[in-house]
Amino acid sequence: MNTSHADLATEPAGIATAGSSMAKPVAIVGSLLWLIVASPTVLESDAYRYATALLSLIALFYYMRAPVRPRTDWIGWLCMGWAFYVMVRFGITLWLTPQHDIGASDWLYAFPFFFPIMGVAFLLHEKLMEKIVAAYFAMALVMLVATQHFREVFAGETVRPLIMNNQIHGAVACGMIVIFTIFWLLHYLTEKSGDRRIARYAYVVSPFILALCLIAIYGAKSKGVWLALGITLPLLALIALTYLRMRAGVIAIVVLAALLVAGIYGVRHNLDKTAGPTVSAAVSMVENMADGHEVGGVVSNAISSTNTPVSMDERLQLWSNSWEVFSSAPLFGWGNRWLERWAETRYSHVQYTLLHNGYLEILVRYGLFGATVMGFMLGVFIRAVWRARKAGVIPRAAWHAYIVCLFFFSLTLLSNSNNRLAIGESLAIASSAFACWCHMRTKGEYLAARPVQRKVAEGA
């Protein structure tokens, strides 16, 4: 058929979809559940897991009733196959290991099982998503205002943004909100197809959200987030130029950059006090490796040096242990027995088992095989969202928010295991559900609310 992707992505005429036929109470409950799925960026709790389970049950109910529904293809089987591998390996190890050692958060790697059905949940609520997103930003603004620490921040103290277990988690969440807010605002500034009431609302609240988030990120004093945002913001600025007229865009970015630089200059002494020792120690390590010293020896010397800040010292010990564990089982990792091997490492006395590096978390448990599968899965999702953008299924701001947020989050994983936190898990669920929805809509799939009436032409 000579049918364009954009035509395939549109809802079929004359067919009532399950989403448009949902009872109003169910639609309201589903919308609230989606807000709970996104809530770890403002309130760190496990509520998103229960919301995911309920959304999955609702989606499964409508999916099983639908006379016309999306077919589970290789992407869905890939997600569920990986989850099956994780759970079978977890169960066998638990059964055969006398100590019944279950590791820490290992079963969470089976979450991809929910990705396809959450894509169906997204399909059910797609007509409500513009309002759900607007409600999310209202929730974020209220939480930012309610938990602001202006006095402590400007006094140079470390603060914990939003309602999080520690300041690093809060800083990561604020960084994600900054990215989402910028592209949400850019969408309504450049696209006239959306709800104009929501557009006016976005114009008003976005500047406040951005200002509060940036102040909170500074106050959290997370060096890893500062670095990740410092790399991401220039990329974001270049993308933003494509939305605005060149002259107006350049002027806006120059003004914002000048304000940011002025702010950094004003708090330069506090920044140096916070990050200076870590930067000096890192530069010293790089210089030693450049001089030809062995990496292991450089790391050991840095750990034993009194010039290495405590937080950096502990991370180096964790990373050294992690690499030692990974190196002993590089192909498939240790599964949920990695803590047994951890007890034999050089710095096993370090008080944490959160490895403070998201990539090492995967390598230690599932080795190169697991990292390859999960990397391939991520690549498939990115491709699905990109294809949806090219087909006109989603606006370009949605694509840019998706890919820039993943880029920022991937940078934060270098210094913290955010993929093991509520923020990372909820991001994985929401972003993967969105990608699965993009894949279905690009193929023109939908959920019908009732049997399709097929008319047979007379005299045919």
Side-chain angles (χ1 to χ4, degrees):
M1 294 177 62
N2 295 321
T3 307
S4 69
H5 282 183
D7 292 334
L8 288 172
T10 57
E11 185 176 298
I15 295 178
T17 61
S20 60
S21 303
M22 264 195 311
K24 190 172 183 179
V26 177
I28 293 173
V29 170
S31 300
L32 292 174
L33 290 173
W34 274 111
L35 287 175
I36 295 173
V37 169
S39 67
T41 52
V42 295
L43 171 62
E44 192 165 13
S45 75
D46 291 336
Y48 70 95
R49 295 180 184 173
Y50 308 111
T52 297
L54 290 173
L55 278 171
S56 298
L57 289 174
I58 292 171
L60 186 62
F61 172 78
Y62 281 94
Y63 183 84
M64 297 304 295
R65 290 183 58 191
V68 179
R69 58 197 180 197
R71 302 180 66 177
T72 305
D73 62 8
W74 67 275
I75 294 180
W77 292 119
L78 172 66
C79 295
M80 292 187 285
W82 167 258
F84 180 76
Y85 166 75
V86 169
M87 293 306 296
V88 167
R89 182 174 179 179
F90 182 93
I92 291 175
T93 304
L94 184 64
W95 180 41
L96 296 179
T97 305
Q99 298 86 357
H100 297 291
D101 192 353
I102 61 173
S105 303
D106 290 26
W107 63 275
L108 300 178
Y109 290 88
F111 270 14
F113 179 82
F114 294 95
F115 294 170
I117 195 63
M118 284 296 285
V120 176
F122 202 105
L123 188 65
L124 275 174
H125 297 89
E126 63 182 9
K127 291 185 177 298
L128 301 170
M129 275 300 162
E130 186 175 19
K131 294 178 180 178
I132 294 172
V133 170
Y136 167 79
F137 286 108
M139 176 176 69
L141 179 59
V142 169
M143 293 296 288
L144 285 164
V145 171
T147 60
Q148 56 81 20
H149 305 277
F150 293 146
R151 183 178 302 174
E152 294 86 350
V153 169
F154 294 116
E157 299 177 18
T158 302
V159 301
R160 185 185 304 177
L162 301 166
I163 302 178
M164 297 288 173
N165 291 337
N166 66 43
Q167 66 271 18
I168 298 175
H169 305 180
V172 173
C174 285
M176 293 166 62
I177 294 172
V178 165
I179 294 167
F180 294 147
T181 304
I182 288 175
F183 286 112
W184 184 54
L185 177 60
L186 285 172
H187 171 68
Y188 285 111
L189 285 173
T190 57
E191 297 286 343
K192 305 304 179 184
S193 58
D195 189 318
R196 300 324 296 168
R197 293 171 299 175
I198 295 179
R200 289 190 290 270
Y201 159 69
Y203 302 154
V204 173
V205 303
S206 294
F208 292 103
I209 295 175
L210 291 172
L212 290 169
C213 281
L214 291 174
I215 292 172
I217 291 170
Y218 163 68
K221 293 182 171 37
S222 170
K223 297 178 286 293
V225 175
W226 287 355
L227 178 61
L229 203 59
I231 296 172
T232 304
L233 284 180
L235 173 65
L236 199 157
L238 291 174
I239 294 174
L241 281 175
T242 66
Y243 285 77
L244 307 171
R245 293 179 180 177
M246 182 59 67
R247 184 176 179 182
V250 170
I251 292 173
I253 289 174
V254 168
V255 170
L256 291 174
L259 290 173
L260 184 61
V261 170
I264 292 173
Y265 180 79
V267 296
R268 63 191 183 282
H269 298 299
N270 198 9
L271 293 176
D272 182 64
K273 180 181 177 181
T274 302
T278 300
V279 172
S280 298
V283 169
S284 178
M285 289 181 64
V286 171
E287 289 175 346
N288 287 333
M289 285 185 282
D291 290 338
H293 296 283
E294 185 183 5
V295 174
V298 171
V299 172
S300 298
N301 291 336
I303 291 173
S304 60
S305 173
T306 56
N307 294 326
T308 304
V310 174
S311 61
M312 181 178 178
D313 184 277
E314 290 177 338
R315 276 176 169 78
L316 289 174
Q317 293 182 54
L318 290 169
W319 297 344
S320 175
N321 287 351
S322 302
W323 189 257
E324 190 176 336
V325 174
F326 162 66
S327 299
S328 61
L331 292 181
F332 296 99
W334 283 84
N336 45 316
R337 294 187 60 187
W338 68 274
L339 280 177
E340 296 176 20
R341 180 65 180 83
W342 184 268
E344 303 171 4
T345 56
R346 180 175 181 179
Y347 303 106
S348 58
H349 60 275
V350 68
Q351 59 179 320
Y352 307 109
T353 55
L354 189 71
L355 307 185
H356 286 73
N357 184 292
Y359 305 105
L360 288 173
E361 295 277 1
I362 298 169
L363 290 172
V364 160
R365 290 168 173 79
Y366 299 107
L368 293 172
F369 170 74
T372 301
V373 173
M374 297 184 76
F376 178 72
M377 201 181 301
L378 177 62
V380 167
F381 290 153
I382 292 173
R383 177 177 176 269
V385 179
W386 167 247
R387 291 187 65 197
R389 162 65 191 129
K390 295 293 288 184
V393 175
I394 60 173
R396 59 174 176 164
W399 156 249
H400 285 141
Y402 177 86
I403 195 66
V404 174
C405 181
L406 289 183
F407 176 73
F408 166 76
F409 193 79
S410 69
L411 293 176
T412 70
L413 294 183
L414 294 171
S415 60
N416 209 50
S417 300
N418 297 315
N419 51 342
R420 264 184 60 183
L421 305 178
I423 309 170
E425 292 168 18
S426 65
L427 176 64
I429 292 170
S431 63
S432 301
F434 176 65
C436 289
W437 172 80
C438 286
H439 180 63
M440 289 184 285
R441 296 300 279 122
T442 304
K443 295 195 300 179
E445 294 181 322
Y446 58 93
L447 283 177
R450 51 182 174 270
V452 179
Q453 300 296 324
R454 299 185 182 276
K455 295 182 179 181
V456 179
E458 294 183 3

